[in-house]
Amino acid sequence: MIHSGTPRDYSDDMYKVYFEVGEWEGRALTVLTECVGEAQAKHIKHLEFGYEFVMPIQCVPDVAKLLSQKNVAIYQIVRGAKIERMLS
């Protein structure tokens, strides 16, 4: 049996990910910028209740942990489409 799917995805594949957060004083955006780096931070899309950006799926638990360590409430995390190429 071949196991596939995102819990076992340790590839370099990139996905759109949406974090719905309780933002306060830009704390969540600061954490996300640190996670993706300055070059990719310009691609973080601010939506009404959170942020959407591109990242490897295996990084999602790490980002969630960092947000919670900074006392940022996470209301949902939504995996979006797999991205065929990295944004520049």
Side-chain angles (χ1 to χ4, degrees):
M1 177 190 295
I2 296 173
H3 296 285
S4 63
T6 54
R8 296 180 188 268
D9 185 350
Y10 291 97
S11 68
D12 291 333
D13 294 340
M14 303 295 276
Y15 292 83
K16 276 189 181 180
V17 181
Y18 170 69
F19 282 82
E20 184 174 287
V21 296
E23 181 64 281
W24 186 69
E25 295 184 342
R27 196 178 288 175
L29 182 56
T30 299
V31 171
L32 297 176
T33 298
E34 291 170 1
C35 290
V36 300
E38 291 293 327
Q40 291 301 317
K42 63 185 174 194
H43 298 290
I44 295 174
K45 185 176 180 182
H46 183 247
L47 302 175
E48 186 176 6
F49 297 111
Y51 299 95
E52 181 181 75
F53 56 101
V54 175
M55 64 187 286
I57 198 70
Q58 72 266 19
C59 294
V60 170
D62 295 328
V63 173
K65 182 178 178 180
L66 290 171
L67 287 167
S68 65
Q69 287 174 341
K70 297 291 185 178
N71 293 321
V72 175
I74 303 168
Y75 295 99
Q76 68 174 319
I77 302 170
V78 179
R79 182 199 68 199
K82 183 176 175 180
I83 304 300
E84 293 303 319
R85 62 176 181 82
M86 186 61 195
L87 300 172
S88 56

